Amino acid sequence: MYRTHTCGELRLADAGKTVTLAGWVQRSRAMGGLTFVDLRDRYGITQLSFNAERDKALCDQANELGREYVVEATGTVKERESKNNNIPTGGIELVVTELKVLNAAKTPPFTIEEETDGGDDLRMKYRYLDLRRANVRKNFELRHRMAIETRNYLSAQHFLEVETPVLIKSTPEGARDFVVPSRMHQGEFYALPQSPQTFKQLLMVAGMDRYFQIVKCFRDEDLRADRQPEFTQIDCEMAFVEQEDILQMFEGLAKHLFKSVLGKEFTEPFPRMTYDEAMRSYGCDKPDLRFGMKFQYLTPALSQGEGGMPLTPGPSPGERGADLARGHGFKVFDEAELVVGINAEGCAGWSRKQTDALIDFVKRPQIGATGIVFLKWTEEGLKSTVDKFFTPEQLQQWAERCGMKQGDLLCIMAGKADKTRKQLNELRLHIGDLCNLRDPWTFSPLWVVDFPLLEQDEESGRWHAMHHPFTAPKPEDAHKLESDPGSVKANAYDLVINGTEIGGGSIRIHDRALQEAMFRVLGFSDADARAKFGFLMEAFEYGAPPHGGAAFGFDRWVSLFGGRSDIREFIAFPKNNAGKDVMIDAPSPIDAEQLKELGLEVKG
Amino acid sequence: MYRTHTCGELRLADAGKTVTLAGWVQRSRAMGGLTFVDLRDRYGITQLSFNAERDKALCDQANELGREYVVEATGTVKERESKNNNIPTGGIELVVTELKVLNAAKTPPFTIEEETDGGDDLRMKYRYLDLRRANVRKNFELRHRMAIETRNYLSAQHFLEVETPVLIKSTPEGARDFVVPSRMHQGEFYALPQSPQTFKQLLMVAGMDRYFQIVKCFRDEDLRADRQPEFTQIDCEMAFVEQEDILQMFEGLAKHLFKSVLGKEFTEPFPRMTYDEAMRSYGCDKPDLRFGMKFQYLTPALSQGEGGMPLTPGPSPGERGADLARGHGFKVFDEAELVVGINAEGCAGWSRKQTDALIDFVKRPQIGATGIVFLKWTEEGLKSTVDKFFTPEQLQQWAERCGMKQGDLLCIMAGKADKTRKQLNELRLHIGDLCNLRDPWTFSPLWVVDFPLLEQDEESGRWHAMHHPFTAPKPEDAHKLESDPGSVKANAYDLVINGTEIGGGSIRIHDRALQEAMFRVLGFSDADARAKFGFLMEAFEYGAPPHGGAAFGFDRWVSLFGGRSDIREFIAFPKNNAGKDVMIDAPSPIDAEQLKELGLEVKG
């Protein structure tokens, strides 16, 4: 037994007890004949005290302890003279009578403090030291807690956690598969699952009724900060359900997590918004509703079919109103398909430097806009950057349509409809940041519903499944699947929190003929569809129930609840942007013997 | 909404209610003008009733339902005239007023009943139909329950579930790794983990204190019935612990699972047995203690070092006694290193045919023995198959040493010590089966402790780690690690239940110099050890705490609790003995394009 207590549990009530603690030396201070050592473990920090007058040898021993040494200390708990109210153990200290060094430590390459001096690369190479930092460790306590609460909630709702295989079949669709060469069947490969989609559907055919799994998934994609080659999802499926049943169930899960993990109670139903409305009012399918700044249209925006963008319509015909932007000689507007603005409340006082910075922001190549037209409403009235083209009355019409009041700043962008909405969405989020409207501890959940079933690749003209090829068209649209694919909506939905897509799902196809039609629309040959998904289509013929489900990005959900955007902070041993684990040095070459056994040769 | 209730929940108290059920047609019976359909879902079976007099069209519709059709039925709950007390819903039936076929079904290739007519291959190809069988489904309810109980128990003990990476580095040691070619780093490979061993140790270095994970692991081995290329383990690690702390903790877990899952309470501590004692008394390191039949030695068995088998010693010198077997002219015994028997109580009455069958059993090539000497104690006294070599008094000495009483049958084997013990172990288990001493619902847990650290390969003379290369020698033996490796014991332990190794673990090395010495003994060059495990040894220099842990084979534990020995019955989508998933047809060839992107070529 190395310890009787942890470093986080002793209190004043324990004074007088003889105890043994074990942990890491956080810091030590020698002052006169006294030495104080902060001993740290996962549970907290306890002060050890040594007195040279009482025991010189022991005090000398304490003075030799380096940072991060692992020690075991026995002594008596004593009330502290100067208490530290910042930590729960701050009322006491351990007057040490016996000290044992369990392991020495080299000086760590960065400080083990919440604010560390270690850069990203160094922290990842020594991730086991990085994880000692209290704020990093807390991310994993949060992750554990969320997993436990998720499982207990779903289990209470009669979901069974069923493990689906990791070594499956390669069916590249969208992202690339990671593959695993088979030694026993040379020239053949397993693939790692991008998701357990087909297996969870088979579990519904199998009558499991309600399935879930917190499961690793794999995608061989080029990486970004919020993408990892392996990631974890909460994967769920239910039989005999309609969309409403699924939304209710997972709204329940989300509310349970909010309450049990963050102590936040949502008594009202989560708002819902159609995909069309989200695109029209926020220019994206995952609007951040912590703040307003809805899009306001100065042109009678496009209706379905106009401008080649049938999937991102403008306001409904009734809302269109007059064209307030075009036909006044301002070329940028006159040539635009769309002129649309957002009203930044209370920002009329922003300086020229500040508004120029906004223009620089949208001109960055990632956004690629050409500029912003501003309309300020200050004490002196309305003032725009395009005064020479528009009369005060016309500007007044803008202000009215956009719901401005004195003190506001209207930011207007113009151009091709689809692109302009995307750019204005970026600007909206940026202004939200600048105005501190995106507090990470305020949560604004939203269901986005009625997604289109398909989207068309601009270049190839090919249709792609917006969610995946197993999503069912809405029954009333099914007949148009092959004749007018672009107009078909799906019972597909996303859960969006604070502008982050936490997850989503759909009602699935459970009929062989419909699934075959879907594959045809997606450009699969019959032979190809059968080779890749024949087992699923065959299963549909043996009594497949109606079913649907959802999957939630667990890394992302945890990071959202942890108030951070970088999911790597919530993954114990993440890969870097080159897909490398720099700590263990993976991937790496393998023995020639291993390659030979697999019947493979590396080219080049 | 497809249903208001499940097929398992309606009772007499619901009589009169209008409800809707959905499920699969288990069977239907038309009798006179009445039709009864058993509707099945995961939760149970409810009888639907149709009356041709009341509604001929509806009854005709019901008569057309085939097996495994998916239907939705609305009607009124009614008390049944002839109740079925075998099922919880047997008191009622649903008098159907509306019937909807949600999906038709082809006739399944085997019957969806507990006793099916489907062979193994067919069941695996249509696993989604196999999983509909109630007894198969129950295995997954059990698995889910055990996972939830494991997590809640460990969570309450302050273990954090931390996900370790699946894409790691190849460090083949013992079994082969599955590898994953990297597209971004051509010629380099990830490997799938055989266990998260090094990561969980790093988590201890990271101060996580208590870690667990229910996690998929991978081994590219040739398969057997109880081996799968991917399997699941309950993986655990604790810092600042000694062996005793770990045994207590996981004995607690096992008792919790016994109680919460099977309702079996173990109030006493689990028995413990040293590895040496297990080998001596049962000839294996995982004895089945549901029954006795301990080994009884007629020769003064070998002590350490004799016969080249330092790791499987005989009785301690004090127990040795006289040689009752050799020196009487019976060549088989005279030339044997060891003569050892087991006393099958109450089996003296077995016929010649029965004892011949035992001889045939041990002569099978998997066991490879030459025969058995029997000594029967019937009403007529002692009678052996070697009467011409031994006097009645000598046989009486055998009977005494082996604790025989009238009615017993002593089965004696002789030969090389190590081999003979193994063979007698097989015979003991076989007789246990024949005598029904191995009831799957009787549970006999056991800790086997004090394993040797290393075992020597007979052919190459190389030393192998008995558990794995991270296991620490017992501190008192550490000095002999390089001088006398075979004599070094480890604080390593296995949890054995009913002769099945459920799991095991050890105290780990947490010191760089000792780990380096261990790698030297195992024949690693310094460069090789550094290339493969340098990150771990470096981590040991930054303040590694003493730590240890255990891992439990989850598939095997579940199958044990499910009363079955074939773990595939407890894996939703298992591979067959050729490593194939015959349902989805994996592994399979991949596109030339995919291979090219990976920079690989298939040879041959």
Side-chain angles (χ1 to χ4, degrees):
Chain A
M1 171 126 29
Y2 286 96
R3 61 187 176 196
T4 58
H5 294 73
T6 70
C7 295
E9 72 181 303
L10 295 171
R11 299 286 184 278
L12 255 184
D14 298 300
K17 283 186 190 163
T18 298
V19 304
T20 302
L21 300 181
W24 287 262
V25 173
Q26 177 76 23
R27 67 179 70 81
S28 77
R29 307 176 297 285
M31 338 170 58
L34 296 177
T35 294
F36 299 100
V37 172
D38 283 349
L39 193 67
R40 184 197 72 230
D41 66 12
R42 185 182 118 199
Y43 311 94
I45 286 182
T46 300
Q47 178 168 296
L48 311 180
S49 82
F50 300 85
N51 184 327
E53 267 181 45
R54 209 179 48 236
D55 188 338
K56 173 130 193 346
L58 191 67
C59 197
D60 287 348
Q61 203 192 338
N63 286 334
E64 275 169 27
L65 295 176
R67 273 204 287 145
E68 300 304 316
Y69 271 46
V70 185
V71 303
E72 179 187 330
T74 300
T76 310
V77 182
K78 186 173 153 262
E79 180 166 1
R80 237 154 106 165
E81 282 180 26
S82 60
K83 299 200 171 48
N84 177 352
N85 292 321
N86 296 324
I87 57 172
T89 61
I92 56 94
E93 65 187 3
L94 187 67
V95 179
V96 177
T97 53
E98 204 187 327
L99 181 69
K100 198 189 292 174
V101 173
L102 298 173
N103 214 343
K106 293 204 292 198
T107 304
F110 50 85
T111 55
I112 313 290
E113 307 272 359
E114 301 218 358
E115 292 291 328
T116 183
D117 55 358
D120 210 52
D121 289 352
L122 207 57
R123 287 176 47 213
M124 288 302 146
K125 181 162 165 50
Y126 297 94
R127 181 64 163 171
Y128 47 87
L129 298 178
D130 193 37
L131 291 171
R132 283 188 195 160
R133 296 163 56 220
N135 47 338
V136 179
R137 195 195 59 236
K138 280 200 178 72
N139 295 345
F140 296 91
E141 291 169 346
L142 173 68
R143 189 176 176 116
H144 168 74
R145 184 92 188 280
M146 285 182 70
I148 284 275
E149 292 292 347
T150 299
R151 287 193 162 96
N152 287 340
Y153 177 86
L154 291 175
S155 187
Q157 300 291 330
H158 306 296
F159 283 79
L160 294 178
E161 184 161 25
V162 179
E163 293 176 56
T164 53
V166 176
L167 296 172
I168 65 164
K169 178 176 177 150
S170 187
T171 54
E173 173 61 17
R176 283 186 203 85
D177 285 327
F178 282 106
V179 296
V180 180
S182 164
R183 175 180 55 86
M184 293 210 268
H185 307 277
Q186 294 203 351
E188 300 190 358
F189 293 77
Y190 301 99
L192 305 182
Q194 297 188 27
S195 93
Q197 183 62 33
T198 52
F199 289 97
K200 69 177 174 177
Q201 292 191 243
L202 290 174
L203 287 172
M204 294 304 101
V205 178
M208 285 289 171
D209 207 71
R210 294 181 171 190
Y211 143 92
F212 86 102
Q213 191 180 191
I214 301 185
V215 61
K216 276 279 174 74
C217 301
F218 305 86
R219 274 182 210 170
D220 184 12
E221 290 178 305
D222 302 323
L223 304 173
R224 299 195 311 244
D226 64 342
R227 285 265 176 88
Q228 284 279 314
E230 51 179 301
F231 56 98
T232 303
Q233 69 186 36
I234 306 172
D235 192 54
C236 307
E237 198 78 1
M238 304 168 76
F240 299 114
V241 287
E242 290 166 336
Q243 170 171 303
E244 188 60 31
D245 304 303
I246 298 178
L247 298 190
Q248 293 287 346
M249 179 61 70
F250 297 107
E251 186 164 320
L253 170 64
K255 285 178 173 175
H256 174 76
L257 290 177
F258 271 121
K259 186 160 183 207
S260 60
V261 176
L262 295 181
K264 294 200 181 272
E265 189 141 13
F266 284 81
T267 51
E268 296 297 309
F270 290 173
R272 297 184 189 181
M273 188 182 288
T274 65
Y275 171 85
D276 287 352
E277 169 61 19
M279 294 306 291
R280 186 163 59 225
S281 293
Y282 299 96
C284 78
D285 61 0
K286 39 178 189 283
D288 183 346
L289 296 194
R290 280 174 296 185
F291 63 106
M293 278 194 232
K294 260 176 117 160
F295 286 12
Q296 308 293 346
Y297 288 84
L298 298 186
T299 42
L302 305 170
S303 67
Q304 285 225 342
E306 287 178 273
M309 278 154 304
L311 299 176
T312 58
S316 62
E319 299 171 44
R320 289 182 163 211
D323 190 332
L324 304 181
R326 291 178 291 199
H328 299 274
F330 179 46
K331 209 174 145 199
V332 173
F333 283 6
D334 288 349
E335 291 176 356
E337 212 169 36
L338 208 69
V339 180
V340 55
I342 49 175
N343 182 28
E345 290 182 36
C347 299
W350 281 8
S351 66
R352 173 68 186 266
K353 196 175 159 197
Q354 283 174 296
T355 53
D356 278 356
L358 293 184
I359 293 171
D360 290 344
F361 174 82
V362 300
K363 280 184 166 173
R364 294 184 315 154
Q366 303 96 303
I367 300 181
T370 50
I372 306 170
V373 168
F374 295 102
L375 175 63
K376 283 184 181 182
W377 189 343
T378 64
E379 285 173 13
E380 290 142 37
L382 288 167
K383 172 89 189 130
S384 92
T385 50
V386 288
D387 279 355
K388 64 175 171 175
F389 299 104
F390 295 92
T391 66
E393 291 71 29
Q394 286 165 340
L395 295 179
Q396 187 61 40
Q397 284 182 307
W398 291 10
E400 271 164 34
R401 181 171 292 177
C402 300
M404 286 181 79
K405 55 187 191 321
Q406 189 180 311
D408 293 350
L409 171 70
L410 184 66
C411 307
I412 302 164
M413 298 180 77
K416 293 288 265 180
D418 201 21
K419 206 168 150 191
T420 305
R421 283 203 191 93
K422 273 189 195 148
Q423 293 163 344
L424 190 61
N425 165 52
E426 297 290 344
L427 180 65
R428 174 179 175 268
L429 295 174
H430 183 59
I431 295 179
D433 282 332
L434 294 175
C435 297
N436 293 316
L437 299 172
R438 304 181 76 195
D439 168 21
W441 303 113
T442 298
F443 293 95
S444 207
L446 169 73
W447 286 110
V448 178
V449 297
D450 295 349
F451 273 81
L453 182 67
L454 300 152
E455 57 186 347
Q456 194 164 26
D457 185 76
E458 280 184 37
E459 283 176 34
S460 67
R462 252 191 82 175
W463 291 100
H464 293 288
M466 195 124 176
H467 270 72
H468 54 55
F470 312 104
T471 298
K474 278 183 187 268
E476 60 272 28
D477 288 355
H479 67 281
K480 299 185 291 183
L481 182 57
E482 299 193 69
S483 56
D484 184 10
S487 73
V488 177
K489 291 275 196 273
N491 280 323
Y493 31 82
D494 276 355
L495 176 61
V496 173
I497 305 178
N498 294 359
T500 296
E501 180 204 322
I502 290 300
S506 62
I507 296 296
R508 326 296 185 187
I509 296 168
H510 64 280
D511 175 81
R512 177 168 189 143
L514 184 55
Q515 187 66 66
E516 283 175 337
M518 182 70 176
F519 282 130
R520 275 196 302 275
V521 172
L522 295 172
F524 280 76
S525 72
D526 273 11
D528 206 22
R530 238 163 257 194
K532 283 177 177 158
F533 299 108
F535 61 96
L536 183 66
M537 293 195 289
E538 190 172 9
F540 286 168
E541 295 188 291
Y542 285 102
H547 61 285
F552 302 90
F554 189 57
D555 309 292
R556 211 174 279 179
W557 201 339
V558 177
S559 70
L560 184 88
F561 272 31
R564 298 285 302 262
S565 59
D566 184 355
I567 62 169
R568 286 189 306 172
E569 296 296 322
F570 299 81
I571 294 172
F573 300 101
K575 306 282 187 288
N576 71 10
N577 281 348
K580 277 202 165 281
D581 181 327
V582 295
M583 181 185 72
I584 62 171
D585 186 25
S588 55
I590 58 174
D591 292 351
E593 187 55 38
Q594 267 175 293
L595 272 177
K596 203 179 143 198
E597 275 198 320
L598 297 169
L600 288 179
E601 210 163 280
V602 172
K603 292 202 300 191
Chain B
M1 170 122 35
Y2 285 97
R3 62 186 176 195
T4 58
H5 294 74
T6 70
C7 295
E9 72 182 304
L10 294 171
R11 299 288 183 276
L12 256 184
D14 299 301
K17 284 185 190 163
T18 298
V19 305
T20 303
L21 301 181
W24 286 263
V25 173
Q26 177 75 24
R27 67 179 69 80
S28 77
R29 306 178 295 287
M31 337 169 58
L34 297 176
T35 294
F36 298 101
V37 172
D38 283 350
L39 193 67
R40 184 196 72 230
D41 67 11
R42 186 182 117 201
Y43 311 95
I45 286 182
T46 300
Q47 179 169 295
L48 311 181
S49 81
F50 300 85
N51 185 327
E53 268 182 42
R54 210 179 48 235
D55 189 337
K56 174 127 191 352
L58 191 66
C59 198
D60 288 347
Q61 203 193 338
N63 285 333
E64 274 167 28
L65 296 175
R67 274 204 286 145
E68 302 302 318
Y69 271 47
V70 185
V71 304
E72 180 186 331
T74 300
T76 311
V77 182
K78 184 173 153 263
E79 180 168 2
R80 236 155 107 167
E81 282 180 26
S82 59
K83 299 199 170 50
N84 177 353
N85 292 320
N86 296 322
I87 57 171
T89 60
I92 56 94
E93 63 186 5
L94 187 68
V95 178
V96 177
T97 53
E98 204 187 327
L99 181 68
K100 199 189 291 175
V101 173
L102 298 173
N103 214 343
K106 292 204 293 198
T107 305
F110 50 84
T111 55
I112 312 292
E113 306 274 358
E114 301 218 357
E115 292 292 327
T116 183
D117 54 358
D120 211 53
D121 289 352
L122 207 57
R123 288 175 48 213
M124 289 302 146
K125 180 162 166 52
Y126 297 94
R127 181 63 162 171
Y128 47 86
L129 298 177
D130 192 37
L131 291 171
R132 284 189 194 160
R133 295 162 57 219
N135 46 338
V136 179
R137 195 194 60 235
K138 282 201 177 75
N139 295 344
F140 296 91
E141 291 168 347
L142 173 69
R143 188 175 177 118
H144 168 74
R145 184 91 188 281
M146 285 182 69
I148 285 277
E149 292 293 346
T150 298
R151 287 192 161 97
N152 287 340
Y153 177 87
L154 292 174
S155 187
Q157 301 291 332
H158 306 296
F159 283 78
L160 294 179
E161 184 160 25
V162 180
E163 292 176 57
T164 52
V166 176
L167 296 172
I168 65 165
K169 179 180 177 149
S170 187
T171 53
E173 173 61 17
R176 285 185 201 85
D177 285 329
F178 282 106
V179 297
V180 180
S182 164
R183 177 180 54 86
M184 293 211 268
H185 307 276
Q186 294 204 350
E188 300 190 357
F189 293 77
Y190 302 99
L192 304 182
Q194 296 188 28
S195 93
Q197 183 63 33
T198 51
F199 290 96
K200 69 177 175 176
Q201 292 191 243
L202 290 174
L203 287 172
M204 294 304 101
V205 178
M208 285 288 169
D209 207 69
R210 293 181 171 189
Y211 144 92
F212 85 102
Q213 191 181 190
I214 300 185
V215 61
K216 275 279 174 74
C217 301
F218 306 86
R219 274 180 209 170
D220 184 11
E221 289 179 306
D222 301 322
L223 304 173
R224 298 193 312 242
D226 64 341
R227 286 264 178 86
Q228 283 279 314
E230 52 178 301
F231 56 97
T232 303
Q233 69 186 34
I234 306 172
D235 192 54
C236 308
E237 199 77 1
M238 304 168 76
F240 300 113
V241 287
E242 290 166 337
Q243 171 171 302
E244 188 59 31
D245 303 303
I246 297 178
L247 297 190
Q248 293 287 346
M249 179 60 71
F250 296 107
E251 187 164 320
L253 170 63
K255 285 178 173 175
H256 175 75
L257 290 178
F258 271 119
K259 186 159 183 209
S260 61
V261 176
L262 296 181
K264 293 198 181 275
E265 189 141 12
F266 284 82
T267 49
E268 297 297 309
F270 290 173
R272 296 184 189 181
M273 188 183 288
T274 65
Y275 170 86
D276 287 352
E277 169 60 17
M279 295 306 290
R280 187 162 57 226
S281 293
Y282 300 96
C284 79
D285 60 1
K286 40 179 188 284
D288 183 346
L289 295 194
R290 280 174 295 185
F291 63 107
M293 275 194 234
K294 261 176 119 161
F295 286 12
Q296 308 294 346
Y297 288 84
L298 298 186
T299 43
L302 305 169
S303 67
Q304 286 226 343
E306 289 177 271
M309 277 155 305
L311 299 175
T312 59
S316 62
E319 297 172 46
R320 288 182 165 212
D323 190 332
L324 303 182
R326 289 179 292 200
H328 299 274
F330 180 46
K331 209 173 144 197
V332 174
F333 283 7
D334 289 350
E335 291 176 355
E337 212 169 36
L338 208 68
V339 180
V340 55
I342 49 175
N343 181 27
E345 291 182 36
C347 298
W350 282 7
S351 66
R352 174 69 187 265
K353 197 176 157 195
Q354 284 174 296
T355 54
D356 278 356
L358 293 183
I359 293 172
D360 289 344
F361 174 81
V362 300
K363 280 184 166 172
R364 294 185 315 155
Q366 304 96 302
I367 299 183
T370 50
I372 307 170
V373 169
F374 294 103
L375 175 63
K376 283 183 181 181
W377 188 343
T378 64
E379 285 172 14
E380 288 142 37
L382 289 166
K383 172 89 187 131
S384 92
T385 49
V386 287
D387 280 355
K388 64 174 171 177
F389 299 105
F390 297 91
T391 65
E393 290 71 30
Q394 285 165 341
L395 296 179
Q396 187 60 39
Q397 284 182 307
W398 292 10
E400 272 164 32
R401 182 173 290 175
C402 300
M404 285 179 82
K405 55 186 192 318
Q406 191 181 308
D408 293 352
L409 171 70
L410 184 66
C411 307
I412 303 164
M413 297 179 78
K416 293 289 264 180
D418 202 19
K419 207 169 151 190
T420 304
R421 283 202 192 94
K422 273 188 193 149
Q423 292 164 344
L424 191 60
N425 165 52
E426 297 289 345
L427 180 64
R428 175 180 175 268
L429 295 175
H430 182 60
I431 296 179
D433 282 332
L434 294 175
C435 296
N436 293 316
L437 300 171
R438 305 181 75 194
D439 168 23
W441 303 112
T442 299
F443 293 95
S444 208
L446 168 74
W447 287 110
V448 177
V449 298
D450 295 349
F451 273 81
L453 183 67
L454 301 153
E455 57 186 347
Q456 195 164 23
D457 184 77
E458 279 185 36
E459 283 176 34
S460 67
R462 254 191 82 176
W463 291 100
H464 292 288
M466 194 122 177
H467 270 71
H468 54 54
F470 312 105
T471 298
K474 279 184 186 268
E476 61 271 28
D477 289 353
H479 66 281
K480 298 185 291 184
L481 182 58
E482 299 194 67
S483 57
D484 183 11
S487 73
V488 177
K489 292 275 196 273
N491 280 323
Y493 32 82
D494 276 354
L495 176 61
V496 173
I497 305 179
N498 294 359
T500 297
E501 181 204 320
I502 291 299
S506 62
I507 297 296
R508 326 297 186 187
I509 296 169
H510 65 280
D511 174 82
R512 177 168 189 142
L514 184 56
Q515 187 67 66
E516 283 175 337
M518 183 67 176
F519 283 131
R520 275 196 302 275
V521 171
L522 295 173
F524 281 75
S525 72
D526 274 11
D528 206 21
R530 238 163 257 194
K532 283 176 176 161
F533 300 108
F535 61 96
L536 182 67
M537 294 196 288
E538 190 172 9
F540 287 167
E541 294 189 293
Y542 285 102
H547 61 285
F552 302 91
F554 189 58
D555 310 292
R556 212 175 279 180
W557 202 339
V558 177
S559 70
L560 185 88
F561 272 31
R564 296 286 302 260
S565 58
D566 184 354
I567 61 170
R568 286 188 305 171
E569 296 296 322
F570 299 82
I571 295 172
F573 300 102
K575 307 281 188 288
N576 71 10
N577 281 347
K580 276 202 166 284
D581 181 327
V582 294
M583 181 185 71
I584 61 172
D585 186 26
S588 55
I590 57 174
D591 293 350
E593 187 54 38
Q594 267 175 292
L595 272 176
K596 201 178 146 199
E597 275 198 322
L598 297 169
L600 288 179
E601 209 165 282
V602 173
K603 292 203 299 190

